[in-house]
Amino acid sequence: MMLKTNTVNIKLSEVDLSDRTYILTFEPMMSQMVQSIREIGLVNPPILAQISSEPRYRVISGLKRILGLIHLKKEMFPARIVQEQPDKPSIEYFLINFYENLSTRALNDVEKSIILNKLITKFNVDKETILQHYVPLLGLGKNPRVLDMYLPIVRLEDNIKIAIVEDILSHELALHMIELSGDDRQSLFHLFVTLKLGKNRQKEFMRLLTDIAKSTERSLRDVVDQPALMAVVNDEKITSTQKVERVRDLLRKMRYPRLAEAELYFEEVKKELKLPPRIVLKHSPFFESDIYSLELLFRDPHEFQKMVTKVNDISRTGAMDKLKKVGK
Amino acid sequence: MYTPYVPRQIYVTADAANYPHTRAVLERLPSLEPITIPDITSLSRYDSTQSFVLARQKGGFFKPCPCTQKYVCCGYKILNLVNNCELNCSYCVLQGYLNNPHIIAYVNLEDLFDELDTLFETYPNRLFRIGTGELADSLSTDHLTGFSSALVAYFADKSNAIIELKTKTSQIDNFIGIEHRGRTVVSWSMNTPRLIASDESMATTLNERLAAAKKCADAGFRIGFHFDPMIHYDGWQDEYKSVVDRIFQTIPAERIIWISLGALRYPPHLDAIIREQHPQSKIVYGELITGLDGKMRYFKSVRAEMFRKMHAWIREYSTNVFVYLCMESAEMYQDVFGWDSRTTISLSRRMNELIL
Ligand code: SF4
């Protein structure tokens, strides 16, 4: 599309930055832009739509440049101006911004969500066209499920969107978080950030926490905020790794109380048996079978003989009988 | 609320068109125009909703029950007469097992009976306990197929076999008046009213199941009850006990041939399906671990407690009713019933004695 524009100098204060009709940028990285304008000036003037007879402008493309100018405390700047009815946003103008961004940089997942949402809700593009044309342009294939995966992302709070863009939170997990209430989502997110959890741990913690909340009919926020858990999170005497492990233990105890009890009891029995490090007693997975195994690590027949004697001694103490009670 | 399945579409495979059962089903559904298809593999091209399909069973009908590895097997055998079920129980393993949504009824019962005749004649000294409720509810499509009456009549004169019709419905009208000579057991899967409402909501209520069981008992059928899957939740004791009470208040103990107990278990991939398809269900939040067979199941002490209590409550009413566990280890049998491993291995023999 050939765009007819007039290039004029306008005041920054006349640009309505709250009007996001054509904007698809999320969290622009400003430092490089500021540096570039400072060094060589504004090479490519932003495109603005004049939306009333008064000098008031809506940004079509070049938001980052305008924010850069604001940062540098400029008052006037050259812009390419088109005319527009205020209540009739034009898809052509949106597509100018879309293609310009597409050709110059990689769009992040939040921006892809913004684009798809705008095409559907603001510009009434039918879903078939979106799937056939725009979704592949965004590098998302043609699977209809893509829409379910991307459309909801815009509904998240900005701090969570930033975490997606910065790859701190997985897209998949963010989608699950949409189903939570705002309070629950923020508590969970806060916990992830405080504990600096990696994505696999985030997934594990979210599953544990939501299951505990649902099975005990509490809100997820109540589960996160419970004193025992907060005491670990806020404990300044332990390292981050220790915190993660302790919180995980706590959550597993809440989710699998009988299994946790059995594991604890088994450890106590092992302690009582006073096994040397090279005699290893193991239980079946989840204590599902009553069969235990004993592993002996030895170098030669002499060591083996010593271990057998040790095992014999242990078996006479009666402590082994306690194994019968594990998991019962 | 239970309403018998009404298909919106019916397909008939070309090789099933001329069977008497096909004609009978189509007569029961006069408002539906059947669509002929070459075979069941072409189904998914036609629609994705749950249609009713009449087909010919080309492989054998008769199979050993796919008992779970590493747990005690009761020696049950199954007939693959109908595949799939519309009752949509939250925990139903068919959700992750069958690769199409349709209900397929195999109409060539003549071949089934030939297959069974050969089997029973080849092994005259073996006893066969056979069920049809493995890949479907035995009776939920019986108002359309009428299979139950043919089965009850066929088994009536068999000396070394019985058929068990296992259901969550009250569809007994087709066979209740048929001469059965004790060779048919009619069984109901039982659960608490709370669980029926949340996880079996398209099936009959507890009252309806008991009323149907009573009618069958009155007609001289032996009755089975399967507490399977039992679900562990706050208040399970009172509620399951009260179901046991209701059973023995309704059905004379001597008419009950067996009661089985099985705790919730499912293959791991079903977990996501239950969470997604049945968000009202809470069964996935139980203390489920991975069992020796790789299936999710309650931690052993939870299962043992449920079984022990149920067994004790049943024994308050009857010392004779045969109670067994479904897909449990010999250790669990020992723990719950005090059976030694020899007795447990002979579970199948003990059950066979019940049908002599
Ligand atoms: S009645 Fe049985 S076969 Fe039918 S949905 Fe329920 S569990 Fe599955």
Side-chain angles (χ1 to χ4, degrees), chain A residues 208 212 245-269 283-288 325-328, chain B residues 286-289 298-302:
Chain A
L208 285 168
I212 294 164
E245 282 314 313
R246 288 194 199 173
V247 171
R248 181 173 179 271
D249 276 357
L250 254 174
L251 295 177
R252 286 192 76 247
K253 270 183 203 145
M254 284 181 233
R255 178 69 182 86
Y256 304 104
R258 291 168 189 85
L259 173 62
E261 201 180 302
E263 280 167 348
L264 193 72
Y265 185 69
F266 178 70
E267 287 309 315
E268 279 168 14
V269 174
H283 59 75
S284 61
F286 305 103
F287 302 94
E288 184 61 12
K325 290 194 197 133
V326 181
K328 295 281 157 78
Chain B
E287 192 169 349
L288 298 159
I289 51 93
Y298 291 124
F299 188 64
K300 200 162 71 174
S301 65
V302 177

Side-chain angles (χ1 to χ4, degrees), chain B residues 62-213:
Chain B
F62 181 83
K63 306 231 165 20
C65 177
C67 273
T68 198
Q69 287 170 29
K70 307 197 178 161
Y71 293 96
V72 177
C73 175
C74 71
Y76 202 62
K77 305 285 183 284
I78 55 170
L79 293 183
N80 192 2
L81 264 177
V82 179
N83 275 10
N84 222 343
C85 177
E86 84 293 359
L87 295 177
N88 196 30
C89 304
S90 66
Y91 49 76
C92 181
V93 72
L94 299 180
Q95 298 171 101
Y97 182 61
L98 299 174
N99 56 11
N100 72 56
H102 311 291
I103 298 179
I104 302 171
Y106 295 106
V107 290
N108 48 328
L109 262 58
E110 298 77 0
D111 296 335
L112 162 71
F113 296 143
D114 282 350
E115 190 182 334
L116 291 177
D117 283 344
T118 311
L119 184 78
F120 300 154
E121 282 157 22
T122 313
Y123 302 103
N125 299 323
R126 271 206 215 161
L127 288 170
F128 293 92
R129 278 173 291 112
I130 301 174
T132 59
E134 188 65 26
L135 293 179
D137 182 285
S138 293
L139 298 173
S140 76
T141 50
D142 204 56
H143 57 302
L144 304 175
T145 63
F147 287 169
S148 66
S149 51
L151 288 169
V152 172
Y154 172 81
F155 277 87
D157 64 359
K158 298 292 167 283
S159 56
N160 61 339
I162 58 146
I163 181 85
E164 180 178 24
L165 302 173
K166 201 191 284 186
T167 190
K168 290 191 184 98
T169 75
S170 46
Q171 295 222 44
I172 54 172
D173 295 346
N174 281 339
F175 66 84
I176 193 143
I178 295 202
E179 178 80 70
H180 57 82
R181 297 205 183 113
R183 309 320 285 167
T184 297
V185 173
V186 196
S187 295
W188 274 266
S189 299
M190 299 304 265
N191 231 314
T192 63
R194 179 199 301 258
L195 252 302
I196 290 173
S198 62
D199 292 83
E200 304 171 354
S201 62
M202 289 174 72
T204 52
T205 61
L206 178 65
N207 286 347
E208 287 168 325
R209 291 178 207 189
L210 285 168

Side-chain angles (χ1 to χ4, degrees), chain B residues 9-12 22 26 29-37 54:
Chain B
Q9 184 61 62
I10 184 159
Y11 295 107
V12 181
T22 301
L26 296 180
L29 293 165
S31 61
L32 288 184
E33 190 59 47
I35 297 173
T36 304
I37 53 172
L54 304 180

Side-chain angles (χ1 to χ4, degrees), chain A residues 96-277:
Chain A
I96 285 171
N97 193 20
F98 171 60
Y99 286 113
E100 189 178 293
N101 275 281
L102 207 58
S103 62
T104 52
R105 67 188 181 92
L107 297 165
N108 62 49
D109 279 4
V110 178
E111 291 171 329
K112 288 175 186 173
S113 173
I114 294 172
I115 292 165
L116 293 172
N117 275 283
K118 288 203 167 166
L119 286 170
I120 291 173
T121 54
K122 222 171 207 51
F123 302 111
N124 300 320
V125 180
D126 63 89
K127 285 201 176 164
E128 199 46 42
T129 310
I130 289 183
L131 279 172
Q132 292 305 320
H133 184 64
Y134 293 103
V135 169
L137 278 175
L138 292 170
L140 303 175
K142 280 190 179 176
N143 189 330
R145 288 205 53 202
V146 160
L147 293 182
D148 299 332
M149 286 174 63
Y150 278 82
L151 288 174
I153 294 292
V154 287
R155 304 206 314 259
L156 290 162
E157 297 84 355
D158 276 358
N159 58 345
I160 297 184
K161 286 188 209 155
I162 293 169
I164 299 173
V165 172
E166 292 178 351
D167 205 26
I168 292 168
L169 186 71
S170 76
H171 185 130
E172 186 199 348
L173 203 65
L175 279 180
H176 286 302
M177 288 170 78
I178 287 172
E179 288 152 24
L180 304 174
S181 72
D183 273 357
D184 285 354
R185 188 163 50 239
Q186 286 301 330
S187 302
L188 187 65
F189 183 64
H190 185 248
L191 184 73
F192 289 173
V193 173
T194 314
L195 294 177
K196 300 191 189 77
L197 295 183
K199 287 182 192 166
N200 285 341
R201 276 276 189 264
Q202 289 174 7
K203 200 169 163 188
E204 183 190 3
F205 276 38
M206 175 157 173
R207 171 54 70 87
L208 285 168
L209 285 159
T210 45
D211 282 6
I212 294 164
K214 290 208 170 146
S215 62
T216 55
E217 295 183 351
R218 283 184 292 170
S219 73
L220 194 140
R221 186 185 170 166
D222 284 349
V223 180
V224 172
D225 288 352
Q226 63 187 297
L229 202 147
M230 278 301 120
V232 179
V233 172
N234 298 324
D235 188 344
E236 286 171 4
K237 290 189 221 83
I238 55 175
T239 66
S240 310
T241 319
Q242 286 171 321
K243 281 186 191 180
V244 172
E245 282 314 313
R246 288 194 199 173
V247 171
R248 181 173 179 271
D249 276 357
L250 254 174
L251 295 177
R252 286 192 76 247
K253 270 183 203 145
M254 284 181 233
R255 178 69 182 86
Y256 304 104
R258 291 168 189 85
L259 173 62
E261 201 180 302
E263 280 167 348
L264 193 72
Y265 185 69
F266 178 70
E267 287 309 315
E268 279 168 14
V269 174
K270 266 186 11 182
K271 254 187 226 155
E272 200 174 319
L273 291 172
K274 297 199 182 78
L275 295 171

